[in-house]
Amino acid sequence: MILMLAALSLAACGGPGGSPSRSNVPGYAGGDLSCVPFARARSGIDLSGDAWQWWDAAATSGRYDRSSRPRVGAVLVFMRTYRNRSGHLSVVTRVVNSREVRVDHANWATGRDRGRVARDQPVIDVSPNNDWSMVRVWFPPVNDFGRSTYPTYGFIHGGRLMAEAR
């Protein structure tokens, strides 16, 4: 039981996440990154602090908009939880539909995959009001979504990747 809980526990900025097709979903690429510097470099959103702190930092910076609607280049900010103490950041690379996006993110794993970058990963909105306040995240080691759901604050908009997408 303890081993099972350890395997399911989250690394700082990550962890296992319902359901797009299992085909054509890439896994991890090399790297030794946490989600914060990766999201900053990938999105162009220049905020600091732990991942969960970005939501308030975006509001006080005056440089970025926040919303519950995904757009390419936005950063999805995960709340911190007992399993995910630093929160998590993912960068939206594609909006599939109102309930699914694809993201690039770092460190959404444990064990030997900790610190790796995962690209084009599905994230689905499982919130009752379709407001992206609760999501499930693709987990390459199991080639599926887990049963876990993750609370999020929403999306921060306005970085370099968004400008390039226009």
Side-chain angles (χ1 to χ4, degrees), residues 31-52:
D32 187 23
L33 291 171
S34 74
C35 65
V36 171
F38 177 82
R40 187 181 303 116
R42 180 77 174 100
S43 71
I45 294 176
D46 189 21
L47 297 171
S48 59
D50 284 343
W52 67 273

Side-chain angles (χ1 to χ4, degrees), residues 26-34 38 104-109 112-119 121 140:
Y28 294 118
D32 187 23
L33 291 171
S34 74
F38 177 82
D104 289 353
H105 57 178
N107 208 23
W108 188 255
R112 67 178 173 79
D113 291 324
R114 186 174 183 193
R116 293 182 153 223
V117 173
R119 298 201 183 271
Q121 301 295 288

Side-chain angles (χ1 to χ4, degrees), residues 97-113:
N97 58 50
S98 67
R99 291 278 191 171
E100 181 182 340
V101 297
R102 295 292 178 109
V103 303
D104 289 353
H105 57 178
N107 208 23
W108 188 255
T110 58
R112 67 178 173 79
D113 291 324

